[in-house]
Each structure stands twice: as C-alpha cells, then as structure tokens.
Amino acid sequence: GNPGSLDMNANTAVGGRVNAAVIHGLSVGASYFREKDNSDVMKNSFALHLLCDYGPLNLQSEYAYRHNDPDAGGIYNDKGWYGQLSYDAGKWTLAARLDWYDPNDTASINDIYRYTGAVNYHFAHNVVGKLEYDRNEFDDPAKQDYNEVIFAIVVAIGDL
C-alpha cells in the first residue's frame, strides 16, 4: 500500500515469516504482516505456504488472508490461494498454475480465477525465455472472461 516514492512514514509496519523443513524436499511455513497504509486502511495479513521438491518435480502453494479495516468505511477481508506444479527437463521447465482471489468477502460474486500453462527455456543460469498462456475467469457476469499470451525474456542481475 505504500510505494517507496509516496511513503509518508507516518506508520510502522510489522511482519514476520517462519519456515520449517519437515522432511527432505518438503517445507512449510507461515507469515504475518501488519501495516496502516497511506489511505488509513489497517491491514493484517496472514499466510500459509508449502514447497515440495521431488527430483525434477516442484510443487508450491500459498493461502493468504487479509483483514482490512479502513478508517472511513466498512471492514472487509480479501483472500487468495495458488497452487503451481512445475517439471524441469534439462534447460526446459513446464508449469501449470491455478490462482484464486476473492478481493472482498462482503460481495458474493467477485471471485477471480486464473489458469496458467507455461514453458520456460533457460538460455543461461540468469537468462530465461518464457511463454505463458493464461485463462482469466470471473464470477461476476458483468466482467468478461479473457485469455492472454505472454512472451518474455528475463535477465536476473545481482547475486544469484
């Protein structure tokens, strides 16, 4: 809620994250974040996450829940979940992902779903070519479902 150039530093944010390796290749964790943004909305965020590696397969997932308490409006919660499965084969990565988001739990038909299929090619350890197909669907009949295709080349800089 506070982009760096507009942060008024009027409030302090507090957060933490804990991670536990359950067995080799499986870790779980939780996080918490609390802030009052520049619009005077007190936000308390909670999340649970999972990461599982088994050879070339990778499964990651997270559920997040945020309680929003605006000074000038009604209290509401937003929440979301994603699950992503990927498979590495040499320089290639294949991935499938499902995202779900409910931006306001006081409305009954505002859930958003995104279904993603992706192929990545690793040109070098810090250069990846990406092709992604997304299907975006809305519970709200006033919003139109749509598809998108994304092509990208990503270059990572810094300490890898």
Side-chain angles (χ1 to χ4, degrees), residues 4-74:
S5 64
L6 302 175
D7 188 359
M8 297 184 300
N9 290 324
N11 299 295
T12 302
V14 176
R17 181 177 177 109
V18 64
N19 229 13
V22 179
I23 57 173
H24 178 71
L26 175 65
S27 65
V28 295
S31 60
Y32 172 75
F33 181 74
R34 175 189 169 109
E35 74 163 340
K36 189 168 198 175
D37 68 12
N38 289 343
S39 301
D40 288 327
V41 178
M42 178 59 75
K43 298 177 178 181
N44 286 286
S45 302
F46 309 88
L48 299 172
H49 59 269
L50 168 117
L51 180 59
C52 182
D53 290 312
Y54 185 74
L57 286 172
N58 177 287
L59 171 68
Q60 59 187 48
S61 183
E62 182 174 35
Y63 174 80
Y65 173 91
R66 181 172 53 207
H67 179 73
N68 302 279
D69 188 0
D71 277 353

Side-chain angles (χ1 to χ4, degrees), residues 82-137:
Y82 82 88
Q84 177 175 300
L85 181 64
S86 62
Y87 178 79
D88 290 315
K91 293 187 170 217
W92 294 92
T93 300
L94 304 174
R97 180 177 169 124
L98 168 62
D99 292 89
W100 163 74
Y101 179 57
D102 179 358
N104 186 334
D105 65 355
T106 62
S108 61
I109 58 166
N110 66 348
D111 289 10
I112 302 166
Y113 301 89
R114 174 180 277 182
Y115 306 93
T116 301
V119 177
N120 294 350
Y121 182 77
H122 304 265
F123 292 102
H125 76 283
N126 65 331
V127 181
V128 179
K130 297 177 173 253
L131 169 62
E132 180 177 308
Y133 170 79
D134 298 311
R135 172 73 181 157
N136 299 278
E137 297 182 357

